[in-house]
Amino acid sequence: MQQVTNPKAGAVNLFVGTVREWTGDKQTQYLEYEAYVEMAEKMLQKIGTEIQEKWPGARVTIQHRIGRMEISDIAVIVAVSTPHRNESYEASRHGIERIKQMVPIWKKEFWTDGESWVGNQQETVAYPEGKPENGGETNG
């Protein structure tokens, strides 16, 4: 939060995405996130630039972890400061939605009764082999 706090900001919005135990009737034991790191870092920077262009005066930092994560672990953080609170909420929401749309990070879910690669973060494309077939290209 210190990275986005500044004297011109009247609001700081902190979105924290965590590993949930239950998805419908499936009980998750843990997740493993993988990524095309170089491209993921570029896309996260692009999202930060989008936020600063769309909401002038905004400061933003975004971090997404990869690797094994247990229930309630923090997977992603989007922190945004803006002069006013509505902009802060909108910019934060924009950040997490764009991460889901365009950042090449995917996960494998380990449940009590099995495991499966989930695919892209919008869960619209399956990755049965554990990675995108197109080398991490996304539609964002």
Side-chain angles (χ1 to χ4, degrees), residues 51-79:
I51 289 171
Q52 291 171 325
E53 289 174 354
K54 190 167 183 173
W55 291 277
R59 288 190 182 176
V60 59
T61 187
I62 302 171
Q63 296 192 10
H64 198 304
R65 295 174 60 201
I66 55 175
R68 180 176 169 142
M69 277 167 242
E70 306 297 330
I71 304 302
S72 300
D73 278 354
I74 295 171
V76 60
I77 292 175
V78 179

mmCIF file of all heavy atoms in Angstrom, residues 51-79:
data_model
loop_
_atom_site.group_PDB
_atom_site.id
_atom_site.type_symbol
_atom_site.label_atom_id
_atom_site.label_comp_id
_atom_site.label_asym_id
_atom_site.label_seq_id
_atom_site.Cartn_x
_atom_site.Cartn_y
_atom_site.Cartn_z
ATOM 1 N N ILE A 51 -4.507 1.888 -16.342
ATOM 2 C CA ILE A 51 -5.168 2.522 -15.189
ATOM 3 C C ILE A 51 -4.717 3.974 -15.057
ATOM 4 O O ILE A 51 -5.538 4.880 -14.862
ATOM 5 C CB ILE A 51 -4.897 1.715 -13.908
ATOM 6 C CG1 ILE A 51 -5.667 0.389 -13.972
ATOM 7 C CG2 ILE A 51 -5.274 2.522 -12.652
ATOM 8 C CD1 ILE A 51 -5.330 -0.596 -12.863
ATOM 9 N N GLN A 52 -3.422 4.220 -15.195
ATOM 10 C CA GLN A 52 -2.917 5.591 -15.058
ATOM 11 C C GLN A 52 -3.420 6.494 -16.178
ATOM 12 O O GLN A 52 -3.629 7.683 -15.965
ATOM 13 C CB GLN A 52 -1.394 5.568 -15.007
ATOM 14 C CG GLN A 52 -0.904 4.941 -13.714
ATOM 15 C CD GLN A 52 0.588 4.702 -13.714
ATOM 16 O OE1 GLN A 52 1.168 4.384 -14.734
ATOM 17 N NE2 GLN A 52 1.197 4.850 -12.543
ATOM 18 N N GLU A 53 -3.636 5.923 -17.366
ATOM 19 C CA GLU A 53 -4.150 6.734 -18.480
ATOM 20 C C GLU A 53 -5.647 7.003 -18.334
ATOM 21 O O GLU A 53 -6.126 8.083 -18.643
ATOM 22 C CB GLU A 53 -3.880 6.017 -19.812
ATOM 23 C CG GLU A 53 -2.417 6.021 -20.190
ATOM 24 C CD GLU A 53 -2.104 5.193 -21.429
ATOM 25 O OE1 GLU A 53 -3.002 4.500 -21.969
ATOM 26 O OE2 GLU A 53 -0.930 5.216 -21.848
ATOM 27 N N LYS A 54 -6.391 5.995 -17.851
ATOM 28 C CA LYS A 54 -7.844 6.129 -17.735
ATOM 29 C C LYS A 54 -8.255 6.953 -16.519
ATOM 30 O O LYS A 54 -9.279 7.631 -16.542
ATOM 31 C CB LYS A 54 -8.472 4.735 -17.683
ATOM 32 C CG LYS A 54 -9.971 4.737 -17.807
ATOM 33 C CD LYS A 54 -10.509 3.347 -18.066
ATOM 34 C CE LYS A 54 -12.020 3.429 -18.247
ATOM 35 N NZ LYS A 54 -12.600 2.179 -18.663
ATOM 36 N N TRP A 55 -7.473 6.867 -15.440
ATOM 37 C CA TRP A 55 -7.768 7.613 -14.212
ATOM 38 C C TRP A 55 -6.536 8.466 -13.874
ATOM 39 O O TRP A 55 -5.661 8.041 -13.098
ATOM 40 C CB TRP A 55 -8.108 6.651 -13.070
ATOM 41 C CG TRP A 55 -9.414 5.961 -13.278
ATOM 42 C CD1 TRP A 55 -10.653 6.440 -12.978
ATOM 43 C CD2 TRP A 55 -9.619 4.649 -13.833
ATOM 44 N NE1 TRP A 55 -11.610 5.517 -13.331
ATOM 45 C CE2 TRP A 55 -11.014 4.405 -13.855
ATOM 46 C CE3 TRP A 55 -8.764 3.664 -14.342
ATOM 47 C CZ2 TRP A 55 -11.570 3.235 -14.346
ATOM 48 C CZ3 TRP A 55 -9.309 2.491 -14.838
ATOM 49 C CH2 TRP A 55 -10.694 2.286 -14.823
ATOM 50 N N PRO A 56 -6.472 9.677 -14.452
ATOM 51 C CA PRO A 56 -5.296 10.538 -14.216
ATOM 52 C C PRO A 56 -5.052 10.759 -12.715
ATOM 53 O O PRO A 56 -5.990 10.954 -11.941
ATOM 54 C CB PRO A 56 -5.690 11.843 -14.911
ATOM 55 C CG PRO A 56 -6.659 11.428 -15.975
ATOM 56 C CD PRO A 56 -7.428 10.281 -15.364
ATOM 57 N N GLY A 57 -3.811 10.702 -12.356
ATOM 58 C CA GLY A 57 -3.437 10.867 -10.958
ATOM 59 C C GLY A 57 -3.408 9.561 -10.188
ATOM 60 O O GLY A 57 -3.004 9.540 -9.023
ATOM 61 N N ALA A 58 -3.827 8.478 -10.834
ATOM 62 C CA ALA A 58 -3.831 7.177 -10.146
ATOM 63 C C ALA A 58 -2.405 6.646 -10.004
ATOM 64 O O ALA A 58 -1.566 6.836 -10.879
ATOM 65 C CB ALA A 58 -4.674 6.169 -10.916
ATOM 66 N N ARG A 59 -2.189 6.001 -8.898
ATOM 67 C CA ARG A 59 -0.965 5.218 -8.704
ATOM 68 C C ARG A 59 -1.403 3.784 -8.493
ATOM 69 O O ARG A 59 -2.405 3.525 -7.806
ATOM 70 C CB ARG A 59 -0.172 5.712 -7.495
ATOM 71 C CG ARG A 59 0.484 7.039 -7.752
ATOM 72 C CD ARG A 59 1.452 7.380 -6.659
ATOM 73 N NE ARG A 59 2.045 8.685 -6.879
ATOM 74 C CZ ARG A 59 2.866 9.268 -6.047
ATOM 75 N NH1 ARG A 59 3.204 8.660 -4.919
ATOM 76 N NH2 ARG A 59 3.367 10.451 -6.306
ATOM 77 N N VAL A 60 -0.666 2.851 -9.076
ATOM 78 C CA VAL A 60 -1.100 1.459 -9.046
ATOM 79 C C VAL A 60 0.090 0.528 -8.877
ATOM 80 O O VAL A 60 1.177 0.802 -9.379
ATOM 81 C CB VAL A 60 -1.890 1.105 -10.330
ATOM 82 C CG1 VAL A 60 -1.054 1.319 -11.572
ATOM 83 C CG2 VAL A 60 -2.430 -0.310 -10.289
ATOM 84 N N THR A 61 -0.137 -0.545 -8.160
ATOM 85 C CA THR A 61 0.812 -1.641 -8.103
ATOM 86 C C THR A 61 0.004 -2.936 -8.142
ATOM 87 O O THR A 61 -1.060 -3.037 -7.526
ATOM 88 C CB THR A 61 1.733 -1.573 -6.860
ATOM 89 O OG1 THR A 61 2.723 -2.597 -6.975
ATOM 90 C CG2 THR A 61 0.959 -1.757 -5.581
ATOM 91 N N ILE A 62 0.509 -3.883 -8.922
ATOM 92 C CA ILE A 62 -0.165 -5.165 -9.087
ATOM 93 C C ILE A 62 0.872 -6.272 -8.890
ATOM 94 O O ILE A 62 1.956 -6.207 -9.465
ATOM 95 C CB ILE A 62 -0.780 -5.293 -10.493
ATOM 96 C CG1 ILE A 62 -1.771 -4.166 -10.765
ATOM 97 C CG2 ILE A 62 -1.449 -6.660 -10.659
ATOM 98 C CD1 ILE A 62 -2.247 -4.109 -12.214
ATOM 99 N N GLN A 63 0.498 -7.274 -8.118
ATOM 100 C CA GLN A 63 1.376 -8.424 -7.940
ATOM 101 C C GLN A 63 0.535 -9.689 -7.982
ATOM 102 O O GLN A 63 -0.546 -9.740 -7.389
ATOM 103 C CB GLN A 63 2.129 -8.332 -6.613
ATOM 104 C CG GLN A 63 3.055 -7.145 -6.592
ATOM 105 C CD GLN A 63 4.029 -7.179 -5.439
ATOM 106 O OE1 GLN A 63 4.153 -8.163 -4.736
ATOM 107 N NE2 GLN A 63 4.728 -6.080 -5.246
ATOM 108 N N HIS A 64 1.029 -10.692 -8.709
ATOM 109 C CA HIS A 64 0.370 -11.998 -8.767
ATOM 110 C C HIS A 64 1.415 -13.056 -8.472
ATOM 111 O O HIS A 64 2.468 -13.084 -9.106
ATOM 112 C CB HIS A 64 -0.235 -12.228 -10.153
ATOM 113 C CG HIS A 64 -1.273 -13.313 -10.178
ATOM 114 N ND1 HIS A 64 -1.036 -14.604 -9.747
ATOM 115 C CD2 HIS A 64 -2.561 -13.282 -10.562
ATOM 116 C CE1 HIS A 64 -2.134 -15.312 -9.888
ATOM 117 N NE2 HIS A 64 -3.096 -14.540 -10.381
ATOM 118 N N ARG A 65 1.142 -13.908 -7.529
ATOM 119 C CA ARG A 65 2.083 -14.956 -7.163
ATOM 120 C C ARG A 65 1.927 -16.148 -8.101
ATOM 121 O O ARG A 65 0.870 -16.360 -8.683
ATOM 122 C CB ARG A 65 1.840 -15.401 -5.718
ATOM 123 C CG ARG A 65 2.122 -14.289 -4.722
ATOM 124 C CD ARG A 65 1.741 -14.687 -3.310
ATOM 125 N NE ARG A 65 2.486 -15.857 -2.887
ATOM 126 C CZ ARG A 65 2.106 -16.664 -1.902
ATOM 127 N NH1 ARG A 65 0.985 -16.429 -1.245
ATOM 128 N NH2 ARG A 65 2.819 -17.708 -1.561
ATOM 129 N N ILE A 66 2.971 -16.950 -8.210
ATOM 130 C CA ILE A 66 2.900 -18.226 -8.893
ATOM 131 C C ILE A 66 3.472 -19.269 -7.945
ATOM 132 O O ILE A 66 4.103 -18.943 -6.940
ATOM 133 C CB ILE A 66 3.651 -18.219 -10.251
ATOM 134 C CG1 ILE A 66 5.101 -17.786 -10.082
ATOM 135 C CG2 ILE A 66 2.931 -17.332 -11.251
ATOM 136 C CD1 ILE A 66 5.914 -17.871 -11.362
ATOM 137 N N GLY A 67 3.219 -20.541 -8.256
ATOM 138 C CA GLY A 67 3.663 -21.612 -7.381
ATOM 139 C C GLY A 67 2.497 -22.169 -6.571
ATOM 140 O O GLY A 67 1.337 -21.857 -6.824
ATOM 141 N N ARG A 68 2.832 -22.993 -5.601
ATOM 142 C CA ARG A 68 1.815 -23.641 -4.775
ATOM 143 C C ARG A 68 1.246 -22.663 -3.752
ATOM 144 O O ARG A 68 1.998 -21.942 -3.095
ATOM 145 C CB ARG A 68 2.418 -24.843 -4.059
ATOM 146 C CG ARG A 68 1.410 -25.568 -3.188
ATOM 147 C CD ARG A 68 2.005 -26.804 -2.565
ATOM 148 N NE ARG A 68 1.127 -27.334 -1.532
ATOM 149 C CZ ARG A 68 0.930 -28.607 -1.306
ATOM 150 N NH1 ARG A 68 1.571 -29.510 -2.025
ATOM 151 N NH2 ARG A 68 0.129 -29.006 -0.334
ATOM 152 N N MET A 69 -0.073 -22.689 -3.633
ATOM 153 C CA MET A 69 -0.752 -21.856 -2.643
ATOM 154 C C MET A 69 -1.799 -22.655 -1.889
ATOM 155 O O MET A 69 -2.552 -23.427 -2.473
ATOM 156 C CB MET A 69 -1.401 -20.653 -3.314
ATOM 157 C CG MET A 69 -0.366 -19.559 -3.512
ATOM 158 S SD MET A 69 -0.888 -18.296 -4.588
ATOM 159 C CE MET A 69 0.365 -18.535 -5.825
ATOM 160 N N GLU A 70 -1.802 -22.449 -0.611
ATOM 161 C CA GLU A 70 -2.736 -23.142 0.274
ATOM 162 C C GLU A 70 -4.016 -22.318 0.422
ATOM 163 O O GLU A 70 -4.060 -21.143 0.051
ATOM 164 C CB GLU A 70 -2.074 -23.351 1.646
ATOM 165 C CG GLU A 70 -0.717 -24.049 1.604
ATOM 166 C CD GLU A 70 -0.771 -25.469 1.072
ATOM 167 O OE1 GLU A 70 -1.809 -26.145 1.240
ATOM 168 O OE2 GLU A 70 0.227 -25.908 0.471
ATOM 169 N N ILE A 71 -5.023 -22.912 1.014
ATOM 170 C CA ILE A 71 -6.292 -22.229 1.261
ATOM 171 C C ILE A 71 -6.040 -20.936 2.044
ATOM 172 O O ILE A 71 -5.285 -20.933 3.015
ATOM 173 C CB ILE A 71 -7.268 -23.141 2.044
ATOM 174 C CG1 ILE A 71 -7.487 -24.449 1.297
ATOM 175 C CG2 ILE A 71 -8.586 -22.421 2.330
ATOM 176 C CD1 ILE A 71 -8.031 -24.306 -0.112
ATOM 177 N N SER A 72 -6.654 -19.861 1.591
ATOM 178 C CA SER A 72 -6.565 -18.511 2.167
ATOM 179 C C SER A 72 -5.264 -17.775 1.847
ATOM 180 O O SER A 72 -5.114 -16.608 2.234
ATOM 181 C CB SER A 72 -6.808 -18.501 3.684
ATOM 182 O OG SER A 72 -8.089 -19.010 3.965
ATOM 183 N N ASP A 73 -4.334 -18.410 1.153
ATOM 184 C CA ASP A 73 -3.136 -17.683 0.727
ATOM 185 C C ASP A 73 -3.535 -16.560 -0.236
ATOM 186 O O ASP A 73 -4.503 -16.688 -0.991
ATOM 187 C CB ASP A 73 -2.149 -18.607 0.004
ATOM 188 C CG ASP A 73 -1.276 -19.402 0.941
ATOM 189 O OD1 ASP A 73 -1.337 -19.183 2.169
ATOM 190 O OD2 ASP A 73 -0.514 -20.256 0.428
ATOM 191 N N ILE A 74 -2.760 -15.518 -0.246
ATOM 192 C CA ILE A 74 -2.986 -14.408 -1.169
ATOM 193 C C ILE A 74 -2.351 -14.750 -2.512
ATOM 194 O O ILE A 74 -1.158 -15.029 -2.586
ATOM 195 C CB ILE A 74 -2.390 -13.103 -0.608
ATOM 196 C CG1 ILE A 74 -3.138 -12.707 0.662
ATOM 197 C CG2 ILE A 74 -2.457 -11.985 -1.655
ATOM 198 C CD1 ILE A 74 -2.493 -11.560 1.412
ATOM 199 N N ALA A 75 -3.178 -14.722 -3.578
ATOM 200 C CA ALA A 75 -2.695 -15.019 -4.922
ATOM 201 C C ALA A 75 -2.408 -13.750 -5.712
ATOM 202 O O ALA A 75 -1.475 -13.709 -6.502
ATOM 203 C CB ALA A 75 -3.713 -15.876 -5.672
ATOM 204 N N VAL A 76 -3.229 -12.728 -5.516
ATOM 205 C CA VAL A 76 -3.079 -11.507 -6.310
ATOM 206 C C VAL A 76 -3.463 -10.288 -5.466
ATOM 207 O O VAL A 76 -4.364 -10.371 -4.625
ATOM 208 C CB VAL A 76 -3.942 -11.583 -7.596
ATOM 209 C CG1 VAL A 76 -5.419 -11.736 -7.290
ATOM 210 C CG2 VAL A 76 -3.711 -10.382 -8.508
ATOM 211 N N ILE A 77 -2.748 -9.181 -5.737
ATOM 212 C CA ILE A 77 -3.049 -7.911 -5.083
ATOM 213 C C ILE A 77 -3.067 -6.819 -6.146
ATOM 214 O O ILE A 77 -2.165 -6.746 -6.985
ATOM 215 C CB ILE A 77 -1.994 -7.550 -4.014
ATOM 216 C CG1 ILE A 77 -2.070 -8.524 -2.847
ATOM 217 C CG2 ILE A 77 -2.170 -6.108 -3.534
ATOM 218 C CD1 ILE A 77 -0.997 -8.318 -1.798
ATOM 219 N N VAL A 78 -4.119 -6.014 -6.109
ATOM 220 C CA VAL A 78 -4.207 -4.814 -6.941
ATOM 221 C C VAL A 78 -4.422 -3.648 -5.980
ATOM 222 O O VAL A 78 -5.442 -3.585 -5.299
ATOM 223 C CB VAL A 78 -5.373 -4.887 -7.945
ATOM 224 C CG1 VAL A 78 -5.449 -3.597 -8.768
ATOM 225 C CG2 VAL A 78 -5.242 -6.108 -8.847
ATOM 226 N N ALA A 79 -3.465 -2.749 -5.913
ATOM 227 C CA ALA A 79 -3.575 -1.571 -5.049
ATOM 228 C C ALA A 79 -3.597 -0.335 -5.934
ATOM 229 O O ALA A 79 -2.734 -0.175 -6.801
ATOM 230 C CB ALA A 79 -2.405 -1.499 -4.075
#
